[in-house]
Amino acid sequence: MRKALVLVAVAVVLTGCSGNWGWYVVNPTTPNGYTNVRFLLSGLQYTILLSATAISISILAGLLVALPGLSSRPALRWASRIYVEIVRAVPILVLVLWVYYGLPQITGLTIGVFWAGVIALALSDSAFQAEIFRAGIQSIARGQYEAAYSISLNYRDTMRYVILPQAIRRILPAIGNQIVYMLKMSSLVSVIGMQELTRKANELVVTEYRPLEIYTFLVLEYLVLILIVSAGVRWLERRMRTDER
């Protein structure tokens, strides 16, 4: 019933008859509206590819940063803590601009908009992922480590086969939240010219002069995309709980 009401509400908005509204610009039943919708949707693949690449890298980097933070050596713990605090303190938009405009001057390498976006998003998210992994690993009872060592497992195998599988089950909701967060933050890469969803919407607004209608369509694009991702994460949570039994 709720879904039906939502669809009705969306339909009413999109077909509103007010003279001040111009929903025809995103109406797929008209030639111009169909062209505009295709143009807006053409940024979807870049948003997904950018987000998926950055998230994959950030999860791996976050784990690599979290493990030294759990070390018994103070120097490693401090190095991990300093990295997390510095990276978390920098706004993502500032980081995107710095990577795209500043990093080439430091390294002498030319970085395209896609990889600049990936590096900035992955770098920013890795600090949050590190804290998620650290909390998840610390939540595992000490007896799990002792049981692993009693059967002669080394540190790497203990983490791989005993600790991380249990920790991942516990931190999956938090990782899911970060995935949704990264999908939304990928819109910031539009400022350096990445042709993703937000950039496409900005370009269409310049030609059609209908920001309300076009940005409403953009909201719906992100809404549908994030709902799909959220449903996937919840399905994975249920699957992992079933496997645990």
Side-chain angles (χ1 to χ4, degrees), residues 77-122:
R77 292 200 306 272
W78 273 105
S80 175
R81 175 54 54 187
I82 290 172
Y83 173 88
V84 169
E85 294 300 332
I86 290 176
V87 173
R88 285 198 307 183
V90 181
I92 295 182
L93 180 58
V94 175
L95 197 56
V96 169
L97 295 172
W98 184 85
V99 170
Y100 185 64
Y101 293 107
L103 197 58
Q105 297 185 22
I106 297 175
T107 62
L109 300 175
T110 301
I111 303 176
V113 293
F114 176 80
W115 285 108
V118 167
I119 293 172
L121 293 176

Side-chain angles (χ1 to χ4, degrees), residues 40-49 195-197 221 225:
L40 291 170
L41 291 176
S42 65
L44 183 61
Q45 59 180 329
Y46 295 104
T47 293
I48 294 175
L49 183 60
Q195 294 295 314
E196 41 71 66
L197 291 174
E221 287 180 302
L225 184 60

Side-chain angles (χ1 to χ4, degrees), residues 66-168:
L67 292 178
L70 298 169
S71 173
S72 58
R73 299 178 182 179
L76 293 178
R77 292 200 306 272
W78 273 105
S80 175
R81 175 54 54 187
I82 290 172
Y83 173 88
V84 169
E85 294 300 332
I86 290 176
V87 173
R88 285 198 307 183
V90 181
I92 295 182
L93 180 58
V94 175
L95 197 56
V96 169
L97 295 172
W98 184 85
V99 170
Y100 185 64
Y101 293 107
L103 197 58
Q105 297 185 22
I106 297 175
T107 62
L109 300 175
T110 301
I111 303 176
V113 293
F114 176 80
W115 285 108
V118 167
I119 293 172
L121 293 176
L123 187 63
S124 177
D125 191 54
S126 65
F128 295 93
Q129 296 287 358
E131 288 297 275
I132 291 172
F133 274 109
R134 182 179 64 83
I137 292 173
Q138 286 182 330
S139 70
I140 305 302
R142 186 63 189 173
Q144 297 292 318
Y145 293 89
E146 296 172 353
Y149 296 148
S150 69
I151 58 174
S152 301
L153 290 181
N154 56 28
Y155 176 80
R156 185 185 65 181
D157 289 340
T158 298
M159 281 293 174
R160 181 179 177 183
Y161 297 113
V162 180
I163 304 302
L164 284 179
Q166 298 180 69
I168 289 175

Side-chain angles (χ1 to χ4, degrees), residues 11 20 25 33 46 77 92 100 131 165 181 189 199 208 227:
N20 295 326
V25 298
Y46 295 104
R77 292 200 306 272
I92 295 182
Y100 185 64
E131 288 297 275
Y181 176 75
V189 185
R199 181 73 179 192
E208 294 287 354
L227 287 177

